[in-house]
Amino acid sequence: MAGIKSLVKDTAIYGLSSIIGRFLNYLLVPIYTRVLDTGEYGIVTNLYGYTALVLVVLTFGMETTYFRFANKEENKADTVFTNSFAFVSTLTLVFLITLFLFIDPISRALHYTDHQNYILLMAAVVSIDVIQALPFCRLRFQKKAIRFASLRLLFIALNIGLNLLYFVVFSVRDVIYVFILNLVCSAIITFFFLPDLFKLKWKLDFSILRQMLDYTWPLFILGITGILNQTADKIIFPLVYPNEVVGKELLGIYGGCVKIAMIMAMITQAFRYAYEPIVFAQAKSKDKNETYALGMKFFIIFTLLAFLAVIAFLPILQEIVGKKYQVGMKVVPIVMIAEIMMGIYFNLSFWYKLIDKTIYGAWFSLAGCIVLFAVNILGIPHFNYMACAWGGLFGYGTAMTLSYIIGQRMNPIRYDLKSIGGYVLLTAFLYMAMTAFEIENRWLCIGYRTILLLVFMAYTAWKDLPVKTILQRFKR
């Protein structure tokens, strides 16, 4: 139970900073969806999809690998860090040189022949983010959650401030400033890590590095397939939609609406930041399986609560994006369910990470990725962005199901499936009750849905929080 207490404390810090950060970051969505047309926002959505993919390629799975080897070799934790950092820095340098040498064919392939500067700017952004990734990871390993959260929030505050200045105060209407301002803010945050990097005793241990690479290459494949599950739709859309101009406009609508659904990604990310170090630290604990099962249960409970909360307040939340984007709101529930599946898949992934069989994760994610690609390539020309939403759901669902089935054979954990199933059924019923008929008055609609949301909260409080025990004691 000590692990759960630590999980709750760290989740509170990471989660609060992530929630505040995402909330503040949402200020950019109404700005962009009002000052940029749907085609320009489609460019932003498309290029950030590529950026996320390149980030995973260049970090090469070294974040999880760092946790694994820093815990195994605690007296060599700094050496493990320097090995990781040197490797990803070298990889990033090779990436930048290659991009500059071959920018012409690359820009043609991505349909940005007239805007090579967009690609170069985003390459600079992703390179800085890669350099920051392991120092941020080291803060998590050192349990410096407050400093971690502070730097994340500082980046967001700077980014929002500069965007407000340029797009609102100065009334700038050029999409290139989205990328320029991101680059400036990322560069500023890097300076905060320099003192720590200079204090380190830099030592490369090639024997440890070889072990790390043996461990991390399946994670690298896992990371690529995993990020493709999140970004492939945004990358594929302009390439397969019959009309390139209309395709970017539709992608812009999808990208804007997906931002509302990203509250689920925020929750899973906060949970991961806190949960991953604890899992590896408790790998030898006798009650580790109980901790994993309990963590899974409460993760599902709170993500289902978040799902219903977004649906309940969607009549207000849809105002985050401009009017011309709101036609795509029907993707929000589907994308949120897909994100819940992704979070469950992440929680299921520890069985193969802890026994150093990360190749399983690569196969699971690859299977999910194949499903996602198939749905997107076949569906986008006919169903536009709805194919993107369903592709993510089917992709994550495939990976989640495979990981559970094989994981229960390789390293069985007794998840409370009966209780979890009850929550899922209740959520499905409440969702249908919320959306079965349309209430034209916005506030009556929200009031009705809020009552249904309170039903879920009351059920949770009675069944899995101390409320039931307290009431029973009071009756005595």
Side-chain angles (χ1 to χ4, degrees):
M1 295 303 293
I4 289 293
K5 290 180 181 179
S6 178
L7 172 64
V8 171
K9 186 189 79 170
D10 284 356
T11 300
I13 297 174
Y14 291 120
L16 184 60
S17 66
S18 184
I19 289 169
I20 294 173
R22 288 275 182 166
F23 175 75
L24 293 175
N25 217 17
Y26 277 152
L27 292 176
L28 296 178
V29 179
I31 294 173
Y32 292 159
T33 57
R34 285 167 174 81
V35 303
L36 302 176
D37 61 37
T38 54
E40 289 177 314
Y41 196 66
I43 292 172
V44 173
T45 302
N46 181 239
L47 286 179
Y48 273 109
Y50 282 110
T51 299
L53 175 60
V54 174
L55 180 65
V56 170
V57 171
L58 297 182
T59 53
F60 208 80
M62 278 293 175
E63 292 172 286
T64 298
T65 302
Y66 166 68
F67 278 125
R68 177 63 171 165
F69 281 82
N71 278 288
K72 285 175 64 176
E73 308 271 356
E74 289 192 32
N75 59 328
K76 295 183 179 180
D78 285 350
T79 303
V80 171
F81 174 80
T82 54
N83 275 266
S84 306
F85 189 83
F87 179 81
V88 299
S89 298
T90 302
L91 208 58
T92 302
L93 181 61
V94 172
F95 162 73
L96 286 173
I97 293 173
T98 303
L99 183 71
F100 275 95
L101 289 177
F102 299 99
I103 185 61
D104 288 335
I106 290 173
S107 61
R108 282 196 300 272
L110 301 183
H111 296 179
Y112 287 98
T113 305
D114 298 330
H115 296 289
Q116 293 183 356
N117 50 347
Y118 292 176
I119 297 175
L120 294 174
L121 280 168
M122 292 311 296
V125 169
V126 75
S127 298
I128 293 175
D129 287 346
V130 170
I131 298 301
Q132 291 178 6
L134 282 165
F136 268 118
C137 202
R138 188 165 179 252
L139 292 179
R140 291 165 57 198
F141 173 73
Q142 295 173 331
K143 298 293 196 309
K144 295 182 178 179
I146 293 177
R147 188 177 179 210
F148 177 99
S150 299
L151 290 175
R152 290 292 195 194
L153 291 175
L154 177 60
F155 169 81
I156 293 168
L158 288 170
N159 199 25
I160 291 171
L162 289 176
N163 273 275
L164 286 172
L165 182 65
Y166 274 79
F167 288 106
V168 177
V169 178
F170 295 157
S171 299
V172 173
R173 294 294 181 268
D174 193 338
V175 70
I176 195 172
Y177 283 95
V178 174
F179 311 129
I180 293 174
L181 298 179
N182 192 336
L183 177 61
V184 170
C185 296
S186 294
I188 291 172
I189 297 302
T190 303
F191 283 103
F192 288 91
F193 288 113
L194 294 180
D196 292 334
L197 295 177
F198 285 129
K199 288 177 185 177
L200 277 171
K201 293 181 180 180
W202 291 82
K203 180 182 177 182
L204 296 179
D205 188 324
F206 289 101
S207 64
I208 292 179
L209 181 58
R210 279 193 296 270
Q211 295 175 49
M212 294 173 71
L213 290 176
D214 286 341
Y215 180 85
T216 202
W217 76 261
L219 289 178
F220 169 65
I221 298 173
L222 173 63
I224 290 178
T225 53
I227 198 63
L228 282 174
N229 277 317
Q230 298 179 48
T231 63
D233 51 356
K234 303 167 185 68
I235 293 172
I236 293 172
F237 201 106
L239 303 178
V240 301
Y241 195 79
N243 186 308
E244 183 180 335
V245 174
V246 176
K248 286 183 178 177
E249 292 174 354
L250 292 171
L251 180 59
I253 293 171
Y254 176 67
C257 293
V258 162
K259 291 292 185 183
I260 296 175
M262 283 300 102
I263 187 172
M264 211 57 68
M266 167 191 71
I267 292 172
T268 54
Q269 184 184 56
F271 190 86
R272 175 181 177 178
Y273 282 148
Y275 197 36
E276 193 169 41
I278 290 172
V279 168
F280 284 112
Q282 288 209 335
K284 298 178 182 178
S285 172
K286 292 181 180 179
D287 62 349
K288 61 180 180 181
N289 284 354
E290 180 185 346
T291 300
Y292 302 158
L294 199 57
M296 172 71 84
K297 178 179 176 178
F298 279 98
F299 169 80
I300 292 174
I301 290 172
F302 288 113
T303 51
L304 292 177
L305 174 62
F307 171 82
L308 290 174
V310 171
I311 298 302
F313 295 100
L314 197 57
I316 295 177
L317 292 174
Q318 68 179 3
E319 298 301 326
I320 290 174
V321 300
K323 294 290 184 184
K324 54 191 173 183
Y325 291 80
Q326 292 177 14
V327 65
M329 281 298 126
K330 52 192 173 183
V331 305
V332 172
I334 304 169
V335 174
M336 283 197 296
I337 294 171
E339 288 292 334
I340 292 174
M341 289 181 173
M342 188 273 286
I344 295 172
Y345 173 55
F346 169 78
N347 288 325
L348 291 170
S349 71
F350 287 109
W351 71 263
Y352 57 76
K353 291 179 181 178
L354 290 170
I355 61 174
D356 295 348
K357 298 290 184 180
T358 48
I359 188 63
Y360 280 103
W363 287 118
F364 300 151
S365 288
L366 181 60
C369 196
I370 291 171
V371 171
L372 180 141
F373 265 80
V375 174
N376 276 274
I377 292 173
L378 296 175
I380 286 174
H382 305 288
F383 305 105
N384 55 70
Y385 47 72
M386 291 305 297
C388 299
W390 284 109
L393 187 146
F394 289 133
Y396 284 133
T398 299
M400 177 190 73
T401 303
L402 289 174
S403 185
Y404 175 77
I405 292 172
I406 297 177
Q408 289 302 94
R409 294 177 182 175
M410 301 289 293
N411 185 43
I413 295 175
R414 296 185 63 182
Y415 295 109
D416 190 356
L417 296 181
K418 182 178 179 181
S419 179
I420 290 171
Y423 279 104
V424 172
L425 289 175
L426 176 61
T427 302
F429 172 77
L430 293 175
Y431 170 74
M432 288 188 290
M434 286 182 181
T435 58
F437 53 93
E438 184 176 347
I439 301 176
E440 293 186 5
N441 185 288
R442 175 184 294 183
W443 299 110
L444 284 178
C445 178
I446 291 173
Y448 164 69
R449 293 182 178 185
T450 301
I451 293 172
L452 295 176
L453 178 64
L454 291 174
V455 170
F456 183 93
M457 296 172 68
Y459 177 80
T460 303
W462 176 258
K463 194 171 188 305
D464 283 294
L465 295 180
V467 175
K468 185 175 181 179
T469 302
I470 293 171
L471 290 174
Q472 288 174 341
R473 290 179 179 175
F474 181 76
K475 289 179 181 178
R476 293 175 187 173

